[in-house]
Amino acid sequence: MTLAGLLVVAIGWAALMGKLPTLRARGTRAPKEPLQTDSWYRSQRAAAPVLMFGGVAATAGGMAFLPFALGGQISNGLVSGICIGLVGWILATVLVSSVLGRLAAGRQV
């Protein structure tokens, strides 16, 4: 989960810097975006802070429990629960950032 959190942070940083290309496979999408690149970049910049915050939080959560999990101090059930919680956190982060990106793409500058 720590690596997944770092990946989300990296994608958020690339979106904030305007480095994500306008591909259908990555980033948040809105119906207008394939036709208007300014809409694409506006949506990516709006979604980036949420992605980065969620990624940092997931990474910190994973790192906080890593020493205990490796040392056998917590049960396997708790480790599984923590992993499921962090996956849920990352999915919620992606969902919220997608909604923010769609809202930002619909606004006119």
Side-chain angles (χ1 to χ4, degrees), residues 68-88:
F68 300 108
L70 292 177
Q73 300 295 324
I74 54 179
S75 69
N76 289 339
L78 183 57
V79 171
S80 298
I82 291 167
C83 287
I84 290 170
L86 290 174
V87 166

Side-chain angles (χ1 to χ4, degrees), residues 30 32-33 36-44 101 104-106:
K32 297 179 186 179
E33 289 179 29
Q36 300 174 358
T37 11
D38 61 331
S39 175
W40 166 265
Y41 289 113
R42 187 168 51 245
S43 70
Q44 301 309 307

Side-chain angles (χ1 to χ4, degrees), residues 4-87:
L6 290 174
L7 179 65
V8 172
V9 171
I11 291 171
W13 181 258
L16 187 65
M17 296 292 116
K19 301 282 185 189
L20 288 180
T22 55
L23 297 175
R24 298 297 289 168
R26 290 181 287 200
T28 59
R29 292 177 292 282
K32 297 179 186 179
E33 289 179 29
L35 302 175
Q36 300 174 358
T37 11
D38 61 331
S39 175
W40 166 265
Y41 289 113
R42 187 168 51 245
S43 70
Q44 301 309 307
R45 283 190 301 273
V50 174
L51 280 174
M52 290 173 37
F53 172 76
V56 167
T59 301
M63 292 297 289
F65 286 99
L66 187 62
F68 300 108
L70 292 177
Q73 300 295 324
I74 54 179
S75 69
N76 289 339
L78 183 57
V79 171
S80 298
I82 291 167
C83 287
I84 290 170
L86 290 174
V87 166

